[in-house]
Amino acid sequence: MSEGVNECKVSRVMESSAGIAKIKTEFLVSAHTRELCTTYTPQKVIDAVEQSVNHAGEVGEPPTKKVKVKGQNKKRPRAKQTPMKEKLCIFLMREESCPYSDSCKFSHDIEGFLKTKMADVGEHCYLFETFGKCKFGLSCRYGQCHTSADNKSIVNEELWRKSQEHMAHRTNSLSKELQTTLRQKKYDFSKADKIQKHIGQQIKDKMQSNSVDPNDRSMAVVVSTQCSDTSASHPSVDDAKTIERDAFVVVDDNDSRNRETVAEKSACISTPFAASSSRDAMAVNGVELTGKESGMESAQQAGRAESHAEAAAADTVKHSGAVTDEDVISLRASEKKRLDFTGLLYVAPLTTVGNLPFRRICKKFGADITCGEMAMCTNLLQGQQSEWALLRRHHTEDVFGVQLCGSHADSMARCAQLLNENVVVDFVDVNMGCPIDLVFHKGAGCGLMTRMGKLENVVRSMACTLDVPLTVKLRTGIAEDKNIAHNVIAKLKDWGVGLITLHGRSRQARYTKLADWEYTGRCARAAAPVPFFGCGDVLTYEDYNRDIATPDVSGVMIARGALYKPWLFTEIKEQRSWDISATERFDIIKDFVNYGLEHWGSDEAGIEKTRRFFLEWQSFLHRYIPVGLLECPPQRINERPPLYTGRNDLETLLSSPSCSDWIKISEMLLGPVPSSFDFLPKHKANAYK
């Protein structure tokens, strides 16, 4: 018995070193020649592969470079958009009269639209059966079940009334009025601008006193280590206008009414630290004043208090109802509620694949905290509908945050104010971990880690502007062998951050190596007492148990593990390995498709968008290896499976690495793909069958 176990462990180590998962022999495919799937692959990719076959090249010329089958495809083609004139007018879908009449850019020819419309996918419309009414009417690809003979929508009145309660809980949509205001640049960002300018001036003065350029990349680590006593630096105080970070408002001596009430926090946000009120009264922007300067600050605060009292006496605004302390007293820094996510399961913000339907799947299996996909702050400020869609929140997401990405303090502060006043979230996260070149070279994502002056301006300005806690997510550093996160984290906790999450890899490493949980533990100690989450390589409940045991780690963020197996949250909470059947896995995909139709629509555009997001998710989902097929479970996230067959045809199909099989799965639920459909998977190897 012991010899068999030892033999299994030895083979496990050998296979792990090769990066290949060890699967039972009876399920392995012995011989298979991989060929490019040309059915849905763009023609330019096919031409490049065919050109590489001729290794000899032309006479007198060097051989043609062979196209690699590994790596990622860049500049992937986008989905083709249907011309507006071929789409049915949305007002006609709702059986309303179009206010634009002849000037409308959409089609008003119902008969012509029905003739060119693709055949219905099925007989049962999820939207109609769930809500009692399908808002896509005639354009719905399941329309036959809720359309009468005279092309009128059928409505289940009783079910429709009940569904309105849930639909009312949908939040964070971009209204037409707000979009117009943003596009015309008429939104009032005076609050954010005042905060950002004041903090920016403080940082500039501090940097000049230390003879450091705030934008100097080479000084990033020097600043973070040599300026460890910056919390003792004393900001200049403008008597006319003072930015009080402790109050989270902009205080103007000429206007005592410029106070912001505090938004309610979710149940997972705990009570604040207790602190001396006299000590808090002598703190500005989180910097404590001592000795002579604290006395000067006390005198200035006394003068401002007297000025406020005079203004209050002259205030003629009448209040209705009881006046609470919250109406006249602002929060100090020590009183601001902090996040308490200890032991909760946190779904990482995942670009493209971390959409609302996927997050609903994770919530169904036990995830506690969800966060929207990375949103670019400049796009949000411009009122781009596609970017605002990333902020959408489902009513089942009881603890929900959004992640912002940007490189400039002014735009990030403005975006913080915009979200603070127009969306419902429990926290806002700053992206400091995105490794993409397009983002990094603009100074955003990982690029923020190299500019401490700019980072401080971004974080402090956002923390002062927001009523909800501010969190950050970062990597270990830029270069693979130069970790700088511990220096950055030591500063972040002094700048008003409520939670810090570290992805234990550098930008350069990407996913080529395992996450460094030893270094994550070091960073957790540097972050104390601020709550700290670690992230990386959690695929089983054993992985979670190992990582959560790291000292000073409050919790674990789960990213790729949730993409491989969204039921991982159930495994962690029940402390067991779930040998999930192929039928159960297919039911999960069905739920995703239904949630996608609800989120993106059941018309032609919505179905194709749901299909493409499913294909993106399937590029991760197929990597799961059923427990019953593993010779030495559990599966490790850095082990790729060899080609194998499942215990039945459906399991084999779900485990296929070929994108052509993924498309077959989508056609089982969303009908045949259009004739012009093409799809290039993110990873080159998945384009082969």
Side-chain angles (χ1 to χ4, degrees):
M1 181 70 177
S2 60
E3 292 180 359
V5 173
N6 292 333
E7 182 180 355
C8 182
K9 288 183 178 180
V10 171
S11 63
R12 171 76 173 174
V13 172
M14 294 177 62
E15 291 295 342
S16 297
S17 62
I20 305 295
K22 193 170 181 60
I23 294 178
K24 294 177 181 179
T25 308
E26 59 266 30
F27 297 106
L28 291 174
V29 176
S30 56
H32 177 73
T33 303
R34 303 198 67 186
E35 299 178 354
L36 180 68
C37 176
T38 59
T39 308
Y40 307 107
T41 305
Q43 188 60 42
K44 63 178 183 179
V45 177
I46 299 174
D47 294 341
V49 174
E50 290 179 349
Q51 187 178 8
S52 68
V53 175
N54 184 13
H55 301 290
E58 298 295 335
V59 179
E61 294 184 3
T64 306
K65 184 178 179 181
K66 188 176 181 180
V67 177
K68 294 183 178 180
V69 185
K70 62 181 180 179
Q72 293 187 0
N73 286 310
K74 298 183 178 180
K75 297 182 180 180
R76 299 165 64 198
R78 295 187 177 184
K80 298 177 182 178
Q81 299 293 328
T82 304
M84 288 190 291
K85 61 182 180 180
E86 297 181 11
K87 296 181 180 179
L88 188 64
C89 176
I90 189 172
F91 292 99
L92 268 66
M93 291 185 197
R94 301 171 181 170
E95 299 179 5
E96 301 173 1
S97 59
C98 178
Y100 301 101
S101 188
D102 295 337
S103 62
C104 181
K105 298 180 180 180
F106 296 92
S107 174
H108 284 205
D109 183 7
I110 295 179
E111 296 297 333
F113 172 80
L114 293 176
K115 289 180 180 179
T116 58
K117 176 187 172 184
M118 293 185 66
D120 280 358
V121 175
E123 299 178 354
H124 302 282
C125 175
Y126 173 78
L127 300 183
F128 177 72
E129 294 180 350
T130 304
F131 304 107
K133 178 181 178 180
C134 178
K135 64 179 181 179
F136 294 93
L138 294 174
S139 63
C140 176
R141 289 286 304 279
Y142 304 83
Q144 59 182 338
C145 70
H146 55 73
T147 305
S148 62
D150 56 348
N151 294 331
K152 299 294 182 181
S153 295
I154 301 173
V155 180
N156 185 331
E157 297 292 349
E158 182 178 357
L159 185 58
W160 176 247
R161 284 194 300 270
K162 292 180 180 179
S163 65
Q164 294 306 298
E165 298 179 3
H166 293 294
M167 297 179 71
H169 292 295
R170 295 179 181 176
T171 55
N172 304 349
S173 298
L174 177 64
S175 66
K176 199 65 179 178
E177 294 76 16
L178 178 58
Q179 185 180 46
T180 302
T181 303
L182 291 173
R183 288 182 173 178
Q184 295 179 352
K185 299 182 179 180
K186 294 182 178 180
Y187 197 92
D188 182 12
F189 289 111
S190 57
K191 175 183 176 181
D193 291 342
K194 289 177 183 178
I195 292 175
Q196 187 274 321
K197 288 179 181 178
H198 185 87
I199 294 177
Q201 186 60 46
Q202 287 183 353
I203 297 171
K204 184 177 180 181
D205 294 342
K206 180 180 66 177
M207 291 294 185
Q208 288 177 349
S209 65
N210 293 325
S211 300
V212 176
D213 182 0
N215 292 322
D216 188 358
R217 291 176 180 268
S218 63
M219 298 299 294
V221 180
V222 177
V223 171
S224 62
T225 54
Q226 292 184 352
C227 299
S228 58
D229 296 330
T230 52
S231 60
S233 302
H234 312 310
S236 59
V237 180
D238 188 347
D239 290 337
K241 295 180 180 179
T242 301
I243 311 300
E244 295 188 6
R245 177 179 176 278
D246 291 352
F248 289 83
V249 295
V250 180
V251 179
D252 193 330
D253 286 340
N254 297 322
D255 186 1
S256 64
R257 290 165 290 175
N258 192 7
R259 299 283 180 178
E260 299 289 336
T261 59
V262 181
E264 294 183 357
K265 307 300 188 297
S266 59
C268 66
I269 302 178
S270 69
T271 56
F273 290 111
S276 170
S277 59
S278 60
R279 180 180 179 183
D280 293 332
M282 295 186 296
V284 179
N285 285 311
V287 179
E288 294 184 358
L289 305 182
T290 58
K292 181 179 178 180
E293 296 191 30
S294 64
M296 294 174 59
E297 179 62 22
S298 298
Q300 290 171 340
Q301 288 184 350
R304 288 196 298 272
E306 183 178 353
S307 175
H308 289 166
E310 294 175 356
D315 191 359
T316 59
V317 177
K318 296 182 179 181
H319 298 276
S320 175
V323 179
T324 65
D325 289 343
E326 196 176 65
D327 295 323
V328 293
I329 301 176
S330 299
L331 285 181
R332 294 188 288 266
S334 61
E335 295 175 330
K336 189 176 183 182
K337 295 182 179 180
R338 59 168 182 155
L339 294 173
D340 184 11
F341 288 167
T342 304
L344 299 183
L345 300 180
Y346 189 166
V347 183
L350 302 164
T351 303
T352 305
V353 287
N355 45 66
L356 187 145
F358 171 76
R359 298 197 304 269
R360 288 183 65 180
I361 295 291
C362 293
K363 287 295 296 182
K364 181 179 178 181
F365 284 105
D368 299 309
I369 309 165
T370 54
C371 185
E373 303 171 63
M374 179 185 74
M376 303 302 295
C377 69
T378 51
N379 295 342
L380 294 174
L381 293 173
Q382 293 169 1
Q384 291 188 14
Q385 184 68 53
S386 58
E387 208 73 17
W388 274 82
L390 304 178
L391 310 182
R392 292 283 298 277
R393 175 182 189 172
H394 193 261
H395 67 85
T396 58
E397 297 180 278
D398 46 355
V399 184
F400 174 75
V402 296
Q403 187 184 68
L404 297 181
C405 183
S407 58
H408 301 289
D410 54 352
S411 59
M412 291 289 276
R414 285 188 167 197
C415 198
Q417 179 187 342
L418 181 65
L419 299 185
N420 200 56
E421 297 171 351
N422 295 280
V423 303
V424 181
V425 294
D426 298 300
F427 62 92
V428 174
D429 187 72
V430 178
N431 184 304
M432 291 173 54
C434 182
I436 299 175
D437 292 343
L438 182 63
V439 174
F440 174 75
H441 292 315
K442 290 183 178 181
C446 288
L448 279 176
M449 297 181 65
T450 64
R451 297 181 175 179
M452 295 299 292
K454 179 172 289 188
L455 175 60
E456 181 179 359
N457 200 348
V458 168
V459 172
R460 289 176 58 191
S461 298
M462 294 182 69
C464 289
T465 306
L466 290 167
D467 289 336
V468 296
L470 181 72
T471 68
V472 297
K473 182 175 182 287
L474 69 164
R475 286 178 178 254
T476 59
I478 308 304
E480 188 172 346
D481 56 344
K482 295 181 180 179
N483 294 332
I484 61 173
H486 61 284
N487 294 324
V488 178
I489 289 172
K491 306 305 301 177
L492 287 173
K493 66 179 183 180
D494 296 329
W495 295 340
V497 171
L499 182 141
I500 299 171
T501 302
L502 178 71
H503 182 186
R505 294 183 178 87
S506 66
R507 175 183 182 266
Q508 185 179 6
R510 297 292 179 97
Y511 295 99
T512 57
K513 293 186 177 181
L514 292 174
D516 189 348
W517 274 91
E518 182 178 352
Y519 180 69
T520 299
R522 177 185 175 186
C523 291
R525 294 190 294 272
V530 175
F532 182 91
F533 269 56
C535 177
D537 301 339
V538 177
L539 187 60
T540 65
Y541 77 92
E542 293 99 329
D543 295 335
Y544 175 84
N545 293 342
R546 177 200 64 216
D547 297 338
I548 196 64
T550 305
D552 296 313
V553 170
S554 306
V556 175
M557 176 183 283
I558 300 174
R560 284 188 300 163
L563 294 173
Y564 285 26
K565 41 189 280 191
W567 56 91
L568 172 60
F569 303 101
T570 300
E571 290 187 345
I572 293 174
K573 290 191 172 182
E574 297 181 0
Q575 290 291 290
R576 66 182 178 93
S577 294
W578 184 358
D579 189 7
I580 189 170
S581 67
T583 304
E584 291 173 312
R585 291 169 63 188
F586 190 68
D587 288 339
I588 295 173
I589 297 175
K590 283 183 181 179
D591 288 338
F592 176 85
V593 168
N594 288 333
Y595 297 158
L597 295 176
E598 180 182 342
H599 183 59
W600 292 300
S602 59
D603 60 344
E604 182 62 31
I607 282 183
E608 292 311 309
K609 187 167 289 188
T610 301
R611 189 194 307 275
R612 288 188 177 274
F613 278 108
F614 161 70
L615 294 176
E616 296 290 350
W617 183 27
Q618 183 64 20
S619 68
F620 293 93
L621 198 59
H622 83 277
R623 301 179 191 180
Y624 165 73
I625 305 174
V627 177
L629 275 61
L630 288 168
E631 188 166 313
C632 296
Q635 178 186 359
R636 300 299 177 187
I637 202 166
N638 63 319
E639 295 177 348
R640 66 181 186 273
L643 196 62
Y644 67 93
T645 58
R647 290 166 289 191
N648 53 55
D649 291 342
L650 182 57
E651 191 168 71
T652 302
L653 182 63
L654 294 176
S655 302
S656 172
S658 174
C659 69
S660 60
D661 288 328
W662 308 345
I663 295 173
K664 290 179 183 178
I665 298 172
S666 75
E667 290 181 323
M668 295 167 65
L669 299 170
L670 295 169
V673 297
S675 57
S676 59
F677 179 86
D678 58 16
F679 177 74
L680 186 63
K682 182 177 181 180
H683 300 93
K684 293 181 179 179
N686 298 133
Y688 288 75
K689 59 182 179 179

